[in-house]
Amino acid sequence: MLEACFVSDIGRKRKINQDSVFITDKPLGNIPNLLLLADGMGGHKAGDYASRTALEIIKNEIRVSTETDPVKLLTQAIEYANRQLYEKSMQDSNYSGMGTTLVAACYTGGQLIVANVGDSRLYLVRKNTMVQVTRDHSYVAEMLRNGTLTREQAKNHPRKNYITRAVGAFSKTTADFFYVDILPTDIILVCSDGLTNMLEDGEILSVIYQEKSLPQACARLVREANANGGIDNVSVILARPLNEKEVEL
């Protein structure tokens, strides 16, 4: 089982929160638990609609599906959400160009199964280190991977926020999947780029380890991101595995 919490905040510069978050430590359909985070894009309220609707569709598809394999189940749900959003964008000009990033994760059998589309991220926090599990689908990330851009150049690149893959932006999309063996002391961090663009990894780690509880750490991470400028919506999920004694309590 998981202990999980989240905070999602509009930030200091935006007029609407286009991030959406859902967590449950209880079974949803045939999935034992679920963490979902989406960061929408699009004019006016289109980004808000994209992220919120994507999560609602994914939750409903998981809830009613008879599929028992988590990877197949998440794949089907994400692909269906993509089709529904894309068709909406084609039918209504108010939603043209909308889309959303997505991170989905479930913990089962001592392993975390992670699905990722776009540049929202999941990190594994272990022994004072913070390792990015997901792989950014963005223009700048691709340039970093092929060596045409340095990390220092990437920080202020004018196309830093251009993502190359999203849910709802194209007729088809593909989620990358990752599998992580989880230790009892590990902490899982899922976040939108409103956090990682405002805080360095070391600052995030310090907050997580300084606070006495995950809810306190979540709240402080958002406060720190806003204190550093808060130029975007910021959403943070923190989760950790529960041992048998904690579950009994």
Side-chain angles (χ1 to χ4, degrees):
M1 292 186 65
L2 282 179
E3 174 194 359
C5 61
F6 79 90
V7 175
S8 183
D9 189 81
I10 195 171
R12 291 190 165 184
K13 303 294 184 181
R14 299 298 176 91
K15 294 182 178 179
I16 190 168
N17 189 354
Q18 295 189 326
D19 291 356
S20 295
V21 181
F22 171 80
I23 62 174
T24 179
D25 60 357
K26 296 177 174 60
L28 182 71
N30 290 325
I31 280 188
N33 48 69
L34 187 62
L35 310 175
L36 294 173
L37 185 146
D39 181 355
M41 61 183 189
H44 304 291
K45 292 188 177 182
D48 166 60
Y49 177 88
S51 65
R52 177 168 38 86
T53 304
L55 295 201
E56 288 301 320
I57 292 171
I58 289 168
K59 286 189 293 179
N60 188 60
E61 286 301 297
I62 291 172
R63 189 179 292 113
V64 302
S65 177
T66 58
E67 178 60 61
T68 57
D69 179 83
V71 174
K72 291 181 180 178
L73 184 48
L74 285 170
T75 298
Q76 291 171 0
I78 292 167
E79 289 179 351
Y80 184 67
N82 184 79
R83 288 197 300 273
Q84 293 297 304
L85 288 177
Y86 182 73
E87 288 174 6
K88 177 77 172 180
S89 73
M90 293 294 100
Q91 295 164 359
D92 188 336
S93 60
N94 291 319
Y95 298 94
S96 178
M98 73 172 170
T100 183
T101 69
L102 177 73
V103 177
C106 70
Y107 175 66
T108 179
Q111 186 179 63
L112 193 70
I113 300 171
V114 184
N116 155 239
V117 182
D119 65 352
S120 294
R121 295 174 177 174
L122 185 145
Y123 291 89
L124 182 68
V125 178
R126 175 182 292 172
K127 296 180 180 178
N128 290 305
T129 63
M130 179 171 147
V131 178
Q132 184 178 340
V133 173
T134 52
R135 174 175 169 168
D136 292 354
H137 302 133
S138 70
Y139 178 80
V140 165
E142 289 182 2
M143 294 178 71
L144 277 169
R145 285 192 286 268
N146 64 30
T148 58
L149 202 65
T150 67
R151 291 199 173 275
E152 198 60 37
Q153 290 171 329
K155 286 183 180 180
N156 299 304
H157 196 280
R159 298 185 70 180
K160 182 177 180 179
N161 296 323
Y162 283 39
I163 60 175
T164 55
R165 202 186 299 182
V167 176
F170 308 101
S171 59
K172 293 183 180 180
T173 197
T174 303
D176 288 343
F177 279 86
F178 307 88
Y179 309 87
V180 186
D181 292 329
I182 300 295
L183 300 179
T185 55
D186 288 344
I187 295 174
I188 300 153
L189 164 66
V190 189
C191 61
S192 60
D193 61 359
L195 178 72
T196 50
N197 285 341
M198 293 293 98
L199 297 177
E200 298 292 338
D201 289 2
E203 295 173 306
I204 294 171
L205 273 173
S206 293
V207 169
I208 291 173
Y209 282 116
Q210 285 171 8
E211 295 299 330
K212 294 180 179 179
S213 71
L214 294 188
Q216 287 174 317
C218 253
R220 186 175 160 198
L221 284 171
V222 171
R223 289 198 305 271
E224 295 282 352
N226 283 332
N228 279 10
I231 63 173
D232 199 355
N233 311 142
V234 54
S235 296
V236 178
I237 299 172
L238 287 174
R240 69 179 183 93
L242 290 175
N243 61 43
E244 291 182 6
K245 290 183 179 180
E246 289 177 302
V247 172
E248 288 174 1
L249 292 173

